[in-house]
């Protein structure tokens, strides 16, 4: 089997509010921009309305000798309410495809890594999606066999597919395929056999394509998008959900980490109403950030769940995943399972962090209420004690003012002693209140 052409495909996603910003950046990197005619795509049991902008003829910063051509598509479809997508396609030159040599494992792996670095270098010029180590990379290596060799070949027969892969195992191996492993079959067009766990770029054998990308004009690339988008979407949907999970998980972890500054013990050790009130303000600000993040995550979570459910429910229709051996999980089936588990874990994390912040806030508010009640009781005691003291002073003063003069003469007490007694009473009163203030 001869390889006619090969393409490195990079996938990224963005929130819809960033559409103009991303469009402007791509316009600065490409010389030509064109809006493609809207199209309707059958995906599973759904019909998706698709809008796309096509960028071509790259400027110097992203033009590499390894690529015969470079194209980028900004895409919005009705399956996603919150995100739009970017698909960047770099067609390798004929000389680059010939670098793959059957049997030379080290050289071939190095070659694929170079191609990955080149297209990732392009993504450095715009804000790219997250790339996580523990999930499928958003890179595909589309390998197009010579069309004449595919005449009469049909993916309807698992036996024929198995024989085809085995007969061409030596050549496919250099491109990163493992022809003897389980096969993911998409739309009767894409064959995915995973050579290494989490391969990057992911090798995809494209057995149903049109024309020759090495001798294509702009009209061809408009048609290319219409022909390939539905098939690419079956793979990029998994990228989207996985990378969204990492993005939102990081945001939630940041808030969760801030909440570790507080504990039930520390919240109960505040020395004053003012200190506890300051803690309440900090927690309230953290809780506002959480409410905003939780609201966005909850809305997007439902969309991600729907994407996975749509894929799983329609495996036998437009998109399906078939293990030709019938005994093991295929690449896509395995990642669907893992992604579903991560989605469920994120749901549990949302509930845990939300409950913790609500609990902390409730404890602080209880502390403020408790200290306010204690302060009111202390004030009431102070008023009562002051009333008693004033009453005592008034009685003593009344006694001193109304004692007969003969009493002073008989006891040799003078008016200066009277004044001294009043002074001592005042000093005692001041001492009383000073001691109370120090409590």
């Amino acid at each position: 089997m001869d390889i006619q052409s090969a393409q490195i495909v990079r996938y990224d996603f963005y929130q819809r509010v960033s559409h103009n910003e991303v469009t402007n950046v791509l316009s600065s990197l490409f010389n030509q921009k064109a809006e493609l005619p809207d199209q309707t795509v059958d995906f599973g049991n759904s019909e998706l309305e698709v809008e796309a902008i096509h960028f071509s003829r790259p400027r110097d910063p992203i033009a590499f000798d390894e690529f015969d051509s470079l194209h980028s598509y900004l895409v919005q479809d009705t399956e996603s309410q919150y995100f739009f997508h970017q698909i960047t396609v770099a067609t390798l030159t004929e000389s680059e495809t010939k670098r793959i040599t059957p049997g030379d494992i080290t050289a071939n792996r190095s070659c694929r890594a170079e191609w990955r670095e080149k297209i990732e270098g392009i993504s450095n010029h715009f804000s790219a999606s997250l790339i996580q180590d523990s999930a499928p990379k958003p890179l595909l290596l589309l390998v197009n066999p010579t069309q004449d060799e595919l005449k009469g070949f049909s993916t309807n027969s698992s036996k024929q597919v198995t024989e085809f892969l085995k007969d061409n195992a030596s050549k496919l191996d250099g491109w990163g395929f493992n022809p003897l492993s389980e096969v993911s079959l998409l739309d009767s067009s894409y064959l995915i056999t995973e050579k290494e766990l989490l391969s990057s770029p992911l090798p995809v054998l494209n057995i149903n394509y049109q024309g020759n990308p090495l001798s294509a004009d702009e009209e061809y690339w408009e048609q290319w998008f219409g022909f390939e988008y539905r098939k690419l979407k079956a793979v990029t949907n998994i990228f989207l959900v996985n990378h969204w999970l990492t993005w939102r998980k990081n945001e939630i972890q940041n808030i969760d980490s801030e909440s570790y500054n507080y504990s039930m013990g520390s919240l109960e050790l505040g020395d004053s109403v003012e200190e506890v009130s300051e803690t309440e303000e900090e927690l309230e600000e953290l809780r506002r950030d959480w409410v905003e993040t939780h609201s966005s995550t909850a809305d997007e979570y439902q969309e991600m769940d729907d994407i996975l459910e749509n894929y799983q429910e329609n495996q036998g229709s437009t998109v399906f995943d078939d293990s030709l051996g019938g005994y093991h999980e295929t690449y896509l089936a395995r990642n669907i399972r893992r992604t579903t588990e991560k989605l469920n874990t994120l749901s549990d994390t949302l509930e845990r962090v939300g409950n913790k912040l609500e609990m902390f806030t409730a404890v602080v508010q209880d502390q403020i209420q408790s200290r306010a009640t204690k302060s009111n009781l202390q004030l009431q005691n102070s008023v009562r004690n002051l009333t008693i003291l004033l009453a005592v002073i008034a009685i003593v003063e009344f006694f001193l003012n109304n004692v007969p003069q003969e009493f002073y003469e008989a006891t040799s007490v003078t008016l200066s002693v009277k004044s001294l007694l009043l002074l001592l009473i005042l000093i005692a009163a001041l001492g009383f209140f000073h001691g109370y203030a120090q409590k």
Side-chain angles (χ1 to χ4, degrees):
M1 177 187 67
D2 293 329
I3 303 302
Q4 183 191 73
S5 60
Q7 297 152 318
I8 298 286
V9 179
R10 163 81 187 220
Y11 170 77
D12 289 282
F13 74 94
Y14 309 89
Q15 290 181 296
R16 288 211 173 191
V17 294
S18 304
H19 191 273
N20 289 339
E21 177 185 351
V22 177
T23 300
N24 292 336
V25 172
L26 291 177
S27 297
S28 69
L29 296 174
F30 290 88
N31 284 301
Q32 188 163 318
K33 167 188 170 185
E35 293 189 10
L36 301 184
D38 296 349
Q39 59 173 303
T40 301
V41 172
D42 292 328
F43 193 76
N45 292 330
S46 304
E47 286 190 347
L48 306 181
E49 301 298 325
V50 181
E51 301 176 0
I53 302 175
H54 175 211
F55 296 87
S56 58
R57 298 182 183 177
R59 301 180 191 272
D60 288 339
I62 59 173
F64 294 100
D65 294 337
E66 291 84 353
F67 301 149
D68 180 78
S69 64
L70 183 66
H71 300 262
S72 190
Y73 302 88
L74 279 190
V75 190
Q76 298 184 79
D77 66 44
T78 49
E79 184 182 44
S80 179
Q81 178 182 354
Y82 301 101
F83 303 103
F84 67 98
H85 320 279
Q86 180 187 3
I87 298 174
T88 302
V89 184
T91 301
L92 299 170
T93 62
E94 187 174 1
S95 60
E96 283 296 306
T97 60
K98 291 181 178 179
R99 289 178 60 191
I100 297 297
T101 305
D104 196 339
I105 297 175
T106 302
N108 292 334
R109 184 184 292 117
S110 176
C111 187
R112 297 194 302 271
E114 289 179 18
W115 298 337
R116 181 186 67 237
E117 291 173 1
K118 291 296 182 181
I119 199 164
E120 288 183 345
I122 293 173
S123 66
N124 291 335
H125 291 272
F126 49 81
S127 179
S129 299
L130 290 170
I131 300 178
Q132 51 182 323
D133 294 333
S134 59
K137 306 294 185 182
L139 292 174
L140 305 179
L141 177 56
L142 288 183
V143 181
N144 308 315
T146 303
Q147 292 176 339
D148 291 342
E149 297 188 23
L150 297 174
K151 289 182 179 179
F153 175 75
S154 173
T155 57
N156 294 329
S157 169
S158 60
K159 180 180 179 181
Q160 188 175 8
V161 171
T162 301
E163 291 178 350
F164 175 80
L165 293 174
K166 286 183 178 180
D167 292 342
N168 296 282
S170 61
K171 290 190 176 181
L172 291 174
D173 180 81
W175 293 91
F177 292 94
N178 183 3
L180 303 181
S181 70
E182 293 71 45
V183 178
S184 296
L185 176 62
L186 301 180
D187 198 38
S188 301
S189 298
Y190 285 181
L191 288 174
I192 301 175
T193 62
E194 193 177 18
K195 177 67 175 176
E196 300 170 354
L197 185 63
L198 305 177
S199 301
S200 179
L202 176 68
V204 177
L205 190 64
N206 190 3
I207 57 177
N208 185 14
Y209 69 102
Q210 297 178 340
N212 183 0
L214 292 171
S215 59
D217 55 17
E218 294 301 315
E219 184 178 355
Y220 168 87
W221 286 106
E222 293 183 9
Q223 296 173 350
W224 180 92
F225 175 79
F227 192 68
E228 299 293 337
Y229 178 67
R230 180 181 63 184
K231 296 178 286 185
L232 287 171
K233 183 175 177 62
V235 186
T236 58
N237 268 356
I238 308 303
F239 295 157
L240 169 61
V241 178
N242 270 283
H243 296 156
W244 176 84
L245 279 166
T246 293
W247 171 44
R248 283 306 189 186
K249 181 181 177 182
N250 288 343
E251 286 195 333
I252 294 169
Q253 283 181 336
N254 289 338
I255 294 177
D256 196 18
S257 296
E258 289 186 45
S259 71
Y260 286 135
N261 295 326
Y262 308 94
S263 65
M264 297 303 297
S266 65
L267 294 176
E268 296 175 354
L269 295 177
D271 294 328
S272 66
V273 175
E274 290 75 14
E275 290 177 352
V276 180
S277 297
E278 183 178 345
T279 301
E280 182 191 33
E281 291 178 2
E282 295 172 356
L283 277 171
E284 182 59 27
E285 182 178 354
L286 187 60
R287 197 174 70 86
R288 283 195 297 268
D289 293 341
W290 169 250
V291 169
E292 182 178 346
T293 299
H294 182 278
S295 178
S296 300
T297 303
D299 292 339
E300 295 163 1
Y301 179 97
Q302 187 58 52
E303 183 169 298
M304 299 299 112
D305 192 46
D306 290 343
I307 288 175
L308 289 180
E309 184 177 352
N310 181 58
Y311 180 91
Q312 291 171 306
E313 288 181 351
N314 298 290
Q315 290 186 22
S317 182
T318 302
V319 180
F320 64 98
D321 196 10
D322 182 32
S323 175
L324 297 178
Y327 301 109
H328 305 285
E329 285 184 307
T330 64
Y331 171 84
L332 289 178
R334 181 168 58 253
N335 281 303
I336 285 288
R337 176 178 56 79
R338 290 174 178 172
T339 303
T340 301
E341 292 172 354
K342 292 179 183 178
L343 205 59
N344 293 335
T345 300
L346 181 67
S347 179
D348 295 339
T349 302
L350 282 171
E351 183 176 0
R352 177 183 61 80
V353 176
N355 289 341
K356 181 170 65 172
L357 289 176
E358 290 295 337
M359 179 182 63
F360 283 171
T361 301
V363 169
V364 171
Q365 290 174 345
D366 288 345
Q367 289 290 312
I368 290 177
Q369 183 64 35
S370 174
R371 280 162 170 73
T373 301
K374 182 179 179 181
S375 178
N376 287 334
L377 291 175
Q378 290 174 337
L379 179 60
Q380 292 174 10
N381 289 333
S382 175
V383 171
R384 185 181 68 249
N385 294 333
L386 178 60
T387 301
I388 293 172
L389 181 61
L390 290 176
V392 171
I393 293 175
I395 293 172
V396 172
E397 184 178 12
F398 175 81
F399 171 78
L400 294 175
N401 288 333
N402 292 278
V403 170
Q405 184 65 29
E406 292 78 5
F407 173 79
Y408 293 109
E409 294 174 354
T411 58
S412 301
V413 179
T414 64
L415 289 177
S416 60
V417 174
K418 175 182 176 181
S419 300
L420 181 60
L421 289 174
L422 286 173
L423 179 61
L424 290 174
I425 292 172
L426 290 175
I427 292 173
L430 291 174
F432 172 81
F433 285 108
H434 177 74
Y436 177 80
Q438 297 302 314
K439 290 184 179 179

